[in-house]
Structures are given as C-alpha cells and as structure tokens.
Amino acid sequence: MKRTTYAGLVDEQYLDQTVTLTGWVQKRRDFGGLIFVDLRDREGIVQLTFNETNAAALKVAEEMRSEYVIEVTGVVHLRSEGQENNNIKTGKIEIEVTDAEILASAKTTPFYIEDNVNANEELKLQYRYLDLRRPEMQKNLRIRSKIMSSAMHFMTTHDFINIETPILAKSTPEGARDYLVPSRIFPGSFYALPQSPQLFKQLLMGAGFDRYFQIARAFRDEDLRGDRQPEFTQMDVETSFMSADEIRHLVNEWVKVMMKEVVDFDLDTQSIPTLTWQESMDRFGTDKPDLRIAYEIQDLSATVAQSEFGVFANAVKDGGVVKAISVPGGADHYSRKDIDKMAQYIERFGAKGLAWLKVTSEGVSGPIAKFFAEDAQQVIDAAGAQVGDLILFGAGRFDVVSATLDYLRRQTAKDLNLVDNTNPWAFAWIVDWPLFEYSEDFDRWISAHHPFTMPNEEDLHYLDEGEDPHKAHAQSYDLVLNGFELGSGSIRIHRMDIQEKMLKALGFSKEKAHEAFGFLLEAMEYGFPPMGGIALGLDRLAMLLAGQENIREVIAFPKNSRATEPMTKAPSRVEQKQLLELGLFTSEDMAD
Amino acid sequence: MKRTTYAGLVDEQYLDQTVTLTGWVQKRRDFGGLIFVDLRDREGIVQLTFNETNAAALKVAEEMRSEYVIEVTGVVHLRSEGQENNNIKTGKIEIEVTDAEILASAKTTPFYIEDNVNANEELKLQYRYLDLRRPEMQKNLRIRSKIMSSAMHFMTTHDFINIETPILAKSTPEGARDYLVPSRIFPGSFYALPQSPQLFKQLLMGAGFDRYFQIARAFRDEDLRGDRQPEFTQMDVETSFMSADEIRHLVNEWVKVMMKEVVDFDLDTQSIPTLTWQESMDRFGTDKPDLRIAYEIQDLSATVAQSEFGVFANAVKDGGVVKAISVPGGADHYSRKDIDKMAQYIERFGAKGLAWLKVTSEGVSGPIAKFFAEDAQQVIDAAGAQVGDLILFGAGRFDVVSATLDYLRRQTAKDLNLVDNTNPWAFAWIVDWPLFEYSEDFDRWISAHHPFTMPNEEDLHYLDEGEDPHKAHAQSYDLVLNGFELGSGSIRIHRMDIQEKMLKALGFSKEKAHEAFGFLLEAMEYGFPPMGGIALGLDRLAMLLAGQENIREVIAFPKNSRATEPMTKAPSRVEQKQLLELGLFTSEDMAD
C-alpha cells in the first residue's frame, strides 16, 4: 500500500473513499472492541476507529501506544452527530480502519508531544526530534522555509545570481570574535568562519556579477542572548550601480511579496516610513523603534530648563536633556511600588532615578508635583499628556535618557496592552546613520555598521587630516519590524582612497590596513564599481512572522546559551590523533 | 541618469532609442576624433562610438583605459554595412555616446580579461575578481545559480520543507577527516564541520517533517584532487515512507525539469537505465560508467581458460578473470609504443602488463597472436570485435581487471573520439550496492556508503552472529552522469537493532557505538519512521552542465590544491590573543 494523502488533510472531500495514511499515534482510547486513535502527521490529526468488523486491524490497534509509527488503510465516514470537532480540518470525519500495520514502536517519551508542554528547555533540546514533532514547531519551520523560497524566487526572477561564498574564510580584525578552524596542511594557521559574506560579495561586484544573492550562514563567537546564536542565516544581497533609494525600493518589493506569501498580509509598502537615525533616536530613543506604540518621546528640555525641580534644571544646564513619555491610562495602572520597580530596573541604562507625574483633572500628582505648582499645564502640554496619563521622565545624558525611555515606552505599552494590533506589521527604514559609534567595550570608536560603509558625500571631508571623522554620517539603512532590526545595508566604499581613510579613522596603520584588507584595497584599483546591498536576518524575521519570542523556536537544531547542542553533545572531546594532525595542544596538554 | 538596460542586451529593438549603460571598458581604439570602446557587462559586449559631435564625451573617452568602469548615455544606431558582427547579440548596432562619465579607473590588470587567457592558475586565483569577469566564468556561475533555483522551486512545489542544519556540529568517527572548530566556552572541546547533514536529516524525519530539502554545505579535510574541494555543496533530500523506487522517480522528475531549465535539453527519464552495481562492474569495470561509450567489457574467462597463453590460463585457474574491450578502429590508431605507454600507466591499478591483439582480415596480430592460432575466431567473437579493432585484455583479480579496463575504455574512447555526442547527457542509476567495501587505506571493512544504509531485506540475516556481514547488499542507489557520480542515496536504517548490528560489523563496540551515535540510536526508540533520501553534488553537476573539467571553474572563490585561497590568503596566522581565549597552543608554542 502507498500513502494516498496526509492524515491532516482528510476532510469531507474524501467521504466514502478508501485512504492509506501513515503517521504517529497521538492518542489512543480503548473501549474494548472499539478503539479510537488520533493519527498525527505533519499536516495535522485525523481520528481512526478500529472495531470488531475488522478484527485483524483491531488486534494491531491493541498493540499501539503513543508515538508508534503506523500505516493504516480505511474508509472515510462522517462522524456521528455531536462528535464533530470544528477546530480541525478533519473534524467532521473519521476513518474506519480495515488494515493496520505498526512500522515502528516507541518508548514512553520524556515529555508529551503537544504545544505548551511544560518541559525543561534543556530536556527539549536533548530530545529535539521529539520537540520538533509539536504542531507549533512544525509550523515555525515551515514559515522559515516559506520565507527562504519566497526570497529565492523573487531574487532569481529579478535577475539576481545566487552565488555561494566560502565558509572556510580568513580571520579579519574588526567585528566580533571569529570561530577559527585549524589548518592541517599549514599547522599554526587558521581559517575563520565568516561573520558575513561582506567582502566576498563586494568582490563579486568587482567581478561584474551586478546582482548577487545568497542565503548565507554566518558565525560569531559571542556570548549568547535570546535572539543570538553562534551561527545564523542572512539573506544577503548586493548590487552594482544602484542608489540607496533603489535598493530600499527593491527590498520593499520583496517584503511585500513575502508578507503575502508567508502570512497572507497585504503590506502597503508606500506607507513604510523612512526615518533618519537622529529622528528615530529623538522620537523613540532607539534605532529600532516599535511603531505599533503610538506614544513617543517628547523633549521637555526647554520647558523645564528653569524648573524649580533641580534634577531637571541641572540636567539641562549640564548639557543634557529632559525628556518624557506619557503613558495613556498609566496613572491608574501603576502604583508607586510598580514605579519604584521600574526605577530600579532602569539603573542598568545608567539612569539615576525615575521622575514621574500622574495627570489628574486637577493638574499633576506625585512626589515631584510640588515643583510644578506654577507650570503643570506647560509640562502636561509639552509631554502631550491627557488626564489619566502617567508621565515618565528621563533627565541627563542623551544616550542614557534615550535608552531609558525606549525601555519604558515598550514596557508600559506591553503592560497596558497599548501595542496597536490593527497594524500588526510595522516596518520602518532607519537611514543616515552615524558612520562611527563609540564602543564602551573597546573604549574606542568603531564602525556603526562595518568599515566598508560609504560616508555621505557631503561628509567625506570629515575623514580628511585634521577633521573629526566621527561627525560623518553614512549612506546606510536598516530595516526594522515591530521594534526588531531585520537587516542592515549600505552603499559601500568603492574607492581605495576613501577606504584607506576609513580604516585610518578606525585606528589601522597603513601597514595593518593592507595586511588585513590588502586584497580588497587592491581590488579597488582594478575598476571597482559603485555598489550597495543589504543583509536581512532570516532567524529574526522567521521568529517574528511565526509569532515567537526566541529564535531557537525557528531553528531546527539550535545551540543553548552555553553554545552547546544538547542532543549530539557538540562541542565534544576529539581523539588525540586529530589534534596531533593539526599540530595543536590544549591547555590540558600543557598542564601535563 | 539611471541604467536603462544591460550593455550586452542592446540589439536592433533599441534602434534610435537613447540608452544609459554601465560597465567595464573591454577595448578602446582611438582614431583621433573618433574613438571606439567595447563596453562589457555581465550580459555581453556592445560597441560605443565617441566622436566630435559630442566633444565632452569624446574627451572623457580619451581618458578611458581597459577595465575602467564607465557610465554612458547615447543613441542606438545600426552599424555601417560590413561592420556587423554576427557572433554577438549586439553585433548589428552601435551606440553613439552623448554623455560619458568615468566611475572608476583601473590599473593595468595582471592578465587580460578574456576567455582562454594564458595565465598561471595561482595568479588567476589571487586576482579571482578579475578572472571572474571572463564571460566563461560568468556563464559557469549562472549555470550553478540556475541549478540551485531549479532545485529550490521543484522541491518547494513538491511539498519539501527547506530546513537548515548546523555547520557547528559534532565530530563523529567513520568517514573522512573532520575540520574542527575549537570551543571557547569549553576549552579542549571542539565542534566539527559536517561531512554531510546525514544524521540531522534522519532526525528531521524522526521529527515528522516527512519531506526535507536543503542546499547544504559540507566539509572534508582530505587531500585535494581536481574534483574535490575542502567545502562543497550538496542538494540534500530526505523523505519518510517512500521506497527507493519512488525516491529515484522523484529525482528523475527534478532532473528532467532541471535539464530543460538549465541547458534546454529534453531528457527522456524513461530511458535512464538502472543497473545493479554488479552489472555495472561487469560491463564497465566501474560503479560510475560513462554510457556514451558504446563498447563494453567482455568476459573471456571461459573462452581462454584452456588457452596456450599461460597468463590467461593461470589467471582463470587462480580464481581470477580474463576480460577485454574491443576498441573500434584501434588497430590502426595505436602503435606498439602507444600500447607500451598504456601498459605502464595501468600499473597504478595493479595490472602487471597489457595483453593485446589487433584484429585483421586474416585473424589477429601482435606479440601474443601466436598463442591464438587455433582459437582466434573464438576470442574475436567473445570480445565482440570487428576487423580493425584493438582488443585490450585484463587478466587477474576482478578489481584490478575492472579498474584497468574501465580506464582503458574511457581513455581509448577519448583518443579515438568514440564518445557518442548524440547522447550528450547519459544518466544512469546504479543500485543494489554492496553494504561494505574493503578499504586498503584503513585495512578493514568500511561502509560502501555510510553506516546508516539499510541492507536489502533478504540480506538482513548476514548481520547476525556467525554470518558474514560483508555479503550483504544495500538498498542504495547512485545517480551517474557521463561517467561521474552525481549523487548517492539509500533507504536508511530506522530500527535500533539493525543499526547496532551494522555498527558492530564496522568494528564498533556497543559502548563506542553509543558514545558516537547514541542520540541516533536513542531516537530510533521513539517512533522512527522508515526513510530514505539522496544527496546530489552541486559542484560536480554544475561542472558537467557548464562543460568544465574542474570544479574550481564553477566555484566563486575556490581553494587551490593546498587548500588555501590565494586572494585573501586563508588560512592565515591569527593573533596570540585569539588562541589564548581558546586555550590552544600550536606546535611552535611548544617549541619555544
């Protein structure tokens, strides 16, 4: 017998037909002489009935247990009245089984195969093949697959050439920590797994391919967070002779098609806003704003510069800012204790306290209300607040205030259910980024994106001797969705002189620059075309479209937060012979 | 201005229209006041003319040199009579340029950008971005891209789910040498780059995805040959509940579509032969026969068992074979000296000499002809030879004779142009492989494919205690094209008892087996479905369809034979700090 369709697809259209199905036993109920089995496959669940008319099949059904793999043949009937299940596609029918075979038995699984199962994350990763049987995980990975096939199809029908770039690449300075791969032929030398195909794709433009596309794996040996994995996938695009506007337009076109294909959503790309980085920081305190939240950050610096409340007045006097958000309905929602908790949380952003006011029909209330006896209305107006709102303030350095109010805006919107779901997919483009940003970690200026990003034409002079390169802005653009950065792109530097200045601004000596990026600098001397592109993070996009909060949910075999994979137990010890061949010794060898 | 089309696409349809083009200067001829420039982009070349009517543009053209990147706007005219070039799409027209701009200049390139350029391979790899500008390389990588998009489209429209599996995986015994990646979090432990996604895809079937597909990167740290690279790409497929026949049928369907899309060839999949491994070895001496060569190996063992020629008689007596090929027209083509050279070459296969006969109208000639005075006609008949043929013999062990005659068959067909080009794409399926093969390298039995291959049902008992497992054949199938193995597949073992026996036959203790493959063996206890699949080598397929003889020609940035990439100079030294973080020391450190 051969399977005729998927179990989850059998509906009334199959009435009175004989079908053959394969799949897993989800549930079995034995009424003695009558057995019901829920048969599960990737498309869903169908109800099987075994009775004494088909004694041989019934006998087989008596042996069945959860997660057994079975093959059955039977006839599709309507369920008796009152037995229908309108929540599933197969809910109106059942299959009276005439023949049954057990293809594989199963031990009792360490956790139930059902969504929202209450099992330890590590256990679920160890038995990932069982966890992946859950309908939700099946759906998640299919969404991911659909995104990839949508991208492939769009790109190839738009003349993009799919070109694979090396995984065994070269370690380069700048960027995150590389994963290294020791060379056996040259002991002491190492390949590095690429942090992105950036340089290769630029060289492909130098080679004249004009439009490149790849669904590329990239790697970073960094400490892991919920939305980070040691390896990740990006949809990588590069084009020659196109402007930043044209590239964004192209991406918009794809996103529109993809949103329709994957989540059946009609995206109006005309309505995707383009904000400058500065505007995004000013209005939302972040470079990846969640535009589903209506209330924005208001600048009250001018309003409170002369305030009797010293914290505000001093912040402005010291060159800082005073800003606020007005949380609609927040006055009643938050107790003083709640606000104290928030105040404590925001210390991680460098905030030294949380000033707040509740807006009442009489004016404002709260511990600092007394300082605003005179100018309460001015503050209310400047904060854009209504009666019943909670005004939360940030005062001090721009970056601290921004990070604080960004967090408070997102958190309060979550608490009060103020995320606008009538606009479920809020895309935005953030453009005109600073070329550099100051890294507290490295205690020096680093590229805001990467060292190959073209400065704005009018800012090129900032890279010259005696000027401040950190004033320059870049021809760069990030695509943001619902408060997450989906991807990042830019026009690239295609001239050696600019590239050399850029590397110099990052602290590279001319010698170091050529040692690390000589092949790129040299390529720029042989007719390098103007170029630009983008890389979109597939993991995060799939996570958002699948409605998940962790990228592990859209990766078949993810690593845990220690970068290990509990099922196969990678990484692992290897044989001494393998290390000898590579000319490598571990710390343990040294200790011997 | 914005590019209106590609340079290589401008033909008579654009007559009298104004076009804007970008690209590279292929050639420039200056006649003083009249300059011709061949402009190249990825689609081809078009002729530009600059004259004094457009003095500004002419002035720009005077600056242009080979490989400069330019942007031009001009009007499409017919070329003057006699100036047409019918070999190219744009050969009937030229563009009178009205505006021109140099976007990037270029130094003199280390080699000319043209096909069949006579440059050192290493130099071409060092300047790969220049070598890739050649039309042939552009074509090769586009063929590769087309194969990928054809596979993606076919698979997704046939319900396959595209699932990515880890690159940071676990080192396992069996198979080739792993590339290792040291773990920073667990010094002394290593990830391994996967030699294939085999185990992951089997676990995905265990997870119920039913149909999996991936264009997957795989890695082997082996010494390199012309058709091997440290990293390679496979089109990886796995299905549940399908028979070997059904899987082959599915692959045939895709290959048919792909051959049409990529090389516009109508493949008759009905006519693809399926040979057992034994039949292939008997008829062609190899498991990847080139079916474009009509002459096959004939077994003359019975015919010559009593021969006066002791070499033949003894070979048969000692349990060996005597086989031959008859090379059509070979008698006149090959001198005795030529044959001596062949005899020397085949020593590498273990052959101890090369017996031969030329078939003449009088019988046979050659040094051993005297032994066949009586039975010349029987030998001629058994060898299937005609007058004018050269009969080449192999005598001795089956494997030595097979390897020898396989080589001689392919080589003589090449020499005499006997490869049938009316059948340019000779596919074949080779099935029913031995489960094990003896490895001279390891001096033990290894899997002919991999340890997860299901034996034929009737051969299962060979894996039992006291029987000879090496007699078992497998439910496996290779797809062959024109003498190259394109891919290899099988039905997999889905039962733990069989898998354990299989690993035991490979010399694993029960403990070792569970240490290495415990997660798989355990998965088989939780309802593992019957499954099978295939992996097709993209590099080799692209190489064949592009008419190339080396896979480097279809890889954007390949490694050379020392596994280095001469452009970026990977692998390379890394900073001591990076090794310290990994707890690693190199041989050099130890020498200090």
Side-chain angles (χ1 to χ4, degrees), chain B residues 339-405:
Chain B
I339 298 173
D340 285 347
K341 264 192 210 156
M342 287 200 258
Q344 205 180 341
Y345 189 91
I346 61 176
E347 283 172 14
R348 70 191 57 192
F349 305 115
K352 297 208 178 67
L354 177 54
W356 55 274
L357 290 170
K358 289 186 174 177
V359 183
T360 66
S361 46
E362 284 85 41
V364 295
S365 71
I368 64 164
K370 58 186 173 211
F371 299 110
F372 299 94
E374 302 289 306
D375 52 357
Q377 196 55 46
Q378 277 157 277
V379 169
I380 293 170
D381 289 348
Q386 308 287 328
V387 172
D389 285 6
L390 171 68
I391 305 179
L392 296 170
F393 293 90
R397 248 170 54 191
F398 177 81
D399 58 344
V400 171
V401 169
S402 294
T404 303
L405 292 180

Side-chain angles (χ1 to χ4, degrees), chain B residues 488-513:
Chain B
S488 178
S490 64
I491 299 299
R492 326 299 185 184
I493 298 170
H494 72 285
R495 278 170 42 194
M496 190 180 77
D497 58 332
I498 303 177
Q499 188 66 67
E500 283 185 332
K501 286 179 193 172
M502 182 74 192
L503 291 169
K504 193 177 167 199
L506 286 165
F508 282 80
S509 68
K510 190 152 181 166
E511 194 195 1
K512 270 272 171 205

Side-chain angles (χ1 to χ4, degrees), chain A residues 345-366:
Chain A
Y345 189 90
I346 61 175
E347 283 173 12
R348 70 191 59 193
F349 306 115
K352 299 211 177 63
L354 176 54
W356 56 273
L357 289 170
K358 289 185 175 179
V359 184
T360 66
S361 47
E362 284 85 41
V364 294
S365 71

Side-chain angles (χ1 to χ4, degrees), chain B residues 42-331:
Chain B
R42 71 178 216 185
E43 302 296 337
I45 281 177
V46 71
Q47 180 168 296
L48 310 176
T49 64
F50 298 82
N51 56 42
E52 287 172 344
T53 316
N54 305 292
L58 181 65
K59 216 169 143 65
V60 175
E62 282 165 2
E63 303 295 314
M64 292 177 190
R65 297 293 177 273
S66 286
E67 299 308 314
Y68 274 40
V69 182
I70 61 172
E71 179 174 271
V72 294
T73 297
V75 183
V76 180
H77 296 309
L78 280 180
R79 294 192 190 185
S80 339
E81 225 165 313
Q83 302 296 311
E84 295 101 339
N85 176 351
N86 288 321
N87 296 322
I88 58 174
K89 184 179 174 67
T90 65
K92 293 208 170 52
I93 62 94
E94 62 186 7
I95 295 164
E96 189 181 354
V97 175
T98 52
D99 292 285
E101 190 183 345
I102 291 171
L103 301 180
S105 63
K107 294 200 302 191
T108 303
T109 51
F111 47 82
Y112 285 111
I113 310 299
E114 62 186 18
D115 288 333
N116 306 315
V117 61
N118 187 15
N120 175 296
E121 180 72 16
E122 200 70 6
L123 190 70
K124 284 163 72 179
L125 286 178
Q126 187 186 339
Y127 294 94
R128 186 66 168 177
Y129 47 88
L130 298 179
D131 197 36
L132 288 172
R133 288 183 189 168
R134 289 192 292 118
E136 188 172 26
M137 294 304 294
Q138 296 269 324
K139 183 204 73 180
N140 292 351
L141 290 192
R142 290 176 82 167
I143 283 178
R144 185 181 178 110
S145 175
K146 275 189 189 172
I147 297 172
M148 282 192 277
S149 89
S150 164
M152 268 306 260
H153 187 252
F154 181 90
M155 290 298 163
T156 51
T157 53
H158 283 75
D159 288 336
F160 282 78
I161 306 175
N162 186 1
I163 302 178
E164 293 159 281
T165 55
I167 298 288
L168 292 169
K170 192 196 180 188
S171 184
T172 53
E174 284 303 293
R177 198 185 285 112
D178 284 323
Y179 277 106
L180 298 180
V181 182
S183 159
R184 176 176 54 87
I185 300 177
F186 299 97
S189 287
F190 294 81
Y191 304 96
L193 305 183
Q195 295 181 27
S196 97
Q198 184 63 38
L199 295 180
F200 289 117
K201 68 178 175 172
Q202 291 185 215
L203 291 163
L204 288 172
M205 293 303 100
F209 285 100
D210 200 78
R211 296 187 150 207
Y212 145 93
F213 169 69
Q214 184 182 195
I215 294 179
R217 208 73 65 89
F219 305 84
R220 277 178 207 176
D221 186 8
E222 294 296 337
D223 298 323
L224 307 180
R225 298 192 309 243
D227 64 347
R228 283 234 188 120
Q229 283 277 315
E231 54 184 299
F232 51 98
T233 303
Q234 56 190 46
M235 290 181 291
D236 201 41
V237 172
E238 194 79 4
T239 69
S240 299
F241 308 112
M242 277 175 84
S243 68
D245 265 352
E246 290 167 336
I247 294 169
R248 285 199 298 273
H249 179 73
L250 179 96
V251 174
N252 280 349
E253 275 189 87
W254 172 60
V255 169
K256 185 181 176 67
V257 170
M258 184 272 298
M259 292 299 288
K260 185 68 189 173
E261 289 176 356
V262 179
V263 290
D264 194 24
F265 181 78
D266 289 301
L267 180 69
D268 174 12
T269 54
Q270 300 291 333
S271 73
I272 296 177
T274 299
L275 309 176
T276 66
W277 178 85
Q278 191 62 54
E279 184 184 357
S280 180
M281 292 303 293
D282 288 344
R283 290 173 54 191
F284 309 104
T286 174
D287 50 30
K288 36 182 189 287
D290 189 341
L291 299 181
R292 296 171 305 169
I293 304 168
Y295 49 108
E296 302 184 4
I297 295 172
Q298 305 298 334
D299 191 344
L300 279 71
S301 303
T303 313
V304 301
Q306 313 297 334
S307 175
E308 290 171 29
F309 184 43
V311 171
F312 286 1
N314 289 334
V316 178
K317 204 166 65 190
D318 295 347
V321 293
V322 177
K323 299 189 166 196
I325 54 170
S326 297
V327 184

Side-chain angles (χ1 to χ4, degrees), chain A residues 256-454:
Chain A
K256 184 180 176 66
V257 170
M258 184 272 297
M259 292 298 288
K260 186 67 189 171
E261 289 176 354
V262 179
V263 289
D264 194 26
F265 183 78
D266 289 301
L267 180 70
D268 174 14
T269 55
Q270 301 290 332
S271 73
I272 296 177
T274 299
L275 310 177
T276 67
W277 177 86
Q278 191 62 55
E279 185 183 357
S280 179
M281 293 303 294
D282 288 344
R283 291 172 55 191
F284 309 103
T286 175
D287 50 31
K288 37 183 191 285
D290 188 342
L291 300 181
R292 297 170 305 170
I293 304 168
Y295 48 108
E296 303 184 4
I297 295 172
Q298 305 297 334
D299 191 345
L300 278 71
S301 304
T303 314
V304 302
Q306 313 297 332
S307 175
E308 288 171 32
F309 183 43
V311 172
F312 285 1
N314 289 333
V316 178
K317 204 167 64 190
D318 295 347
V321 295
V322 177
K323 300 189 165 194
I325 52 170
S326 297
V327 183
D332 282 352
H333 185 89
Y334 291 101
S335 67
R336 188 174 291 217
K337 207 171 139 197
D338 295 333
I339 298 173
D340 285 346
K341 265 194 207 151
M342 288 199 258
Q344 206 182 341
Y345 189 90
I346 61 175
E347 283 173 12
R348 70 191 59 193
F349 306 115
K352 299 211 177 63
L354 176 54
W356 56 273
L357 289 170
K358 289 185 175 179
V359 184
T360 66
S361 47
E362 284 85 41
V364 294
S365 71
I368 65 165
K370 57 187 176 212
F371 299 110
F372 301 93
E374 303 286 309
D375 50 0
Q377 196 55 47
Q378 277 157 277
V379 169
I380 292 169
D381 290 348
Q386 309 287 328
V387 171
D389 286 6
L390 171 69
I391 305 179
L392 296 170
F393 293 92
R397 248 171 54 190
F398 176 81
D399 57 346
V400 171
V401 170
S402 295
T404 303
L405 292 181
D406 164 42
Y407 164 75
L408 291 172
R409 178 172 169 271
R410 287 181 290 114
Q411 188 56 45
T412 53
K414 209 169 156 183
D415 293 344
L416 282 150
N417 212 5
L418 292 171
V419 178
D420 177 12
N421 287 318
T422 63
N423 175 21
W425 307 110
F427 287 90
W429 284 103
I430 311 300
V431 303
D432 197 32
W433 287 64
L435 193 54
F436 301 94
E437 66 185 21
Y438 194 78
S439 162
E440 309 273 356
D441 289 357
F442 295 110
D443 193 25
R444 63 178 177 85
W445 290 90
I446 61 170
S447 302
H449 282 102
H450 55 61
F452 318 107
T453 308
M454 183 68 107

